[in-house]
Structure formats: C-alpha cells, structure tokens
Amino acid sequence: MTGIVRLSGREVLVRAEELADLLTDTVHGGASIGFLAPLDRAQALAWWQERAAAVDAGRLAVWAARAGDRVTGTVSLAFPDKPNSRHRAELVKLMVHRDARGQGLGRVLLTTAERAAAEAGITLLHLDTESGSPAESLYASAGWTRAGAIPDYAATPWGELRPTTLFYKRVGAPAG
C-alpha cells in the first residue's frame, strides 16, 4: 500500500477510472453497497464522476488507498445539510478490492475516516451494513455500537433482499 489520501473533487475525476474498477470489483465480489450485478463499468465510472461536485461542495469526503498503479480501497463521509445535524456524518462506501482483503486495509480506512471526522468537529458517526456480512464484523470489532436491524432493507448484488444492521460511534468531543 502506498498510502491513503483524501481526494479533492478534481482528484476524484482524475482517479475515476481506478475508482470505477474498485466499485465494480466490490459489487461483483458480493458486497451490498447499493448496486446490482452485473455493474457496468460505464455506470460505475459515471457514479464516481457525479461524486466530484459533492466533494468540492464539502458534502462528501473521500479517501483512497493506493497500491502500485491502482486504488485498492476507499471510504467516504457524507455530511448532512441540515443545521441540526452538523455534528454527525454518515460513513459510506467503505470498499476494499478483493485482492487486498484480509490485510487490515478496511480497518485502516475506517480509522482514517473516524480520525478525520473527529478533527473536523464531528462527534457522531453512523452507518448501515448488510447483516451477517464481513463488514458487520469489522464495525463491531472496531468499537461501533449496534443500534438495531431492519429486515429486507436492501438487495444484494444479485437481487436478494437482506437485512441491514445500523451502527453508530461517538468520536471527538461533544459540543457544549
């Protein structure tokens, strides 16, 4: 791994091809991250390109891990736009390429996002993940608190409805 960097909107556009490869690999590997298989590479590329404006506007923060000439993982924070929710963010799209799994990259990306959130004054993070997935185990082992589960919440890449587990984690110091 050559490092984890926070991407600007321009860098999302520059890295869009690599990010699209990661997204298609993650979906085709079975991760339930909002897409159905087979995910067309052009769709994945367009999805990432559409994220650039949100990054530039400060509504989304994206970190990418690179190894050699490709992106091997990402994690993002989505920031709400409502005045009463500026203390929290949603952790989204934690992805690790199948070739890079089992080496701790997911935990490093998660820690990176948690630390950056705290540094930005965020005190509460939340997420949802497919119940029973390896991601659920990662969040539980990283100190996230299980808030509950919702049945038939989202489809797997193959269209099977599965429950999702909701998690939250307090980071940083509460305002007050």
Side-chain angles (χ1 to χ4, degrees), residues 154-165:
T156 66
W158 300 279
E160 175 192 358
L161 290 179
R162 297 276 300 137
T164 195
T165 301

Side-chain angles (χ1 to χ4, degrees), residues 96-108:
V96 174
H97 194 282
R98 286 181 280 183
D99 294 344
R101 291 186 187 158
Q103 301 169 34
L105 179 56
R107 187 169 303 274
V108 171

Side-chain angles (χ1 to χ4, degrees), residues 72-145:
T72 55
T74 65
V75 66
S76 299
L77 291 175
F79 302 101
D81 61 355
K82 297 174 187 73
N84 73 340
S85 55
R86 303 269 158 93
H87 65 289
R88 63 180 160 92
E90 181 179 8
L91 188 108
V92 295
K93 302 297 182 268
L94 175 58
M95 295 183 269
V96 174
H97 194 282
R98 286 181 280 183
D99 294 344
R101 291 186 187 158
Q103 301 169 34
L105 179 56
R107 187 169 303 274
V108 171
L109 287 163
L110 182 58
T111 301
T112 298
E114 292 171 357
R115 187 173 296 123
E119 290 170 1
I122 299 297
T123 58
L124 181 67
L125 293 173
H126 63 96
L127 63 84
D128 71 89
T129 192
E130 182 181 346
S131 299
S133 69
E136 182 180 20
S137 298
L138 170 65
Y139 300 127
S141 70
W144 287 66
T145 301

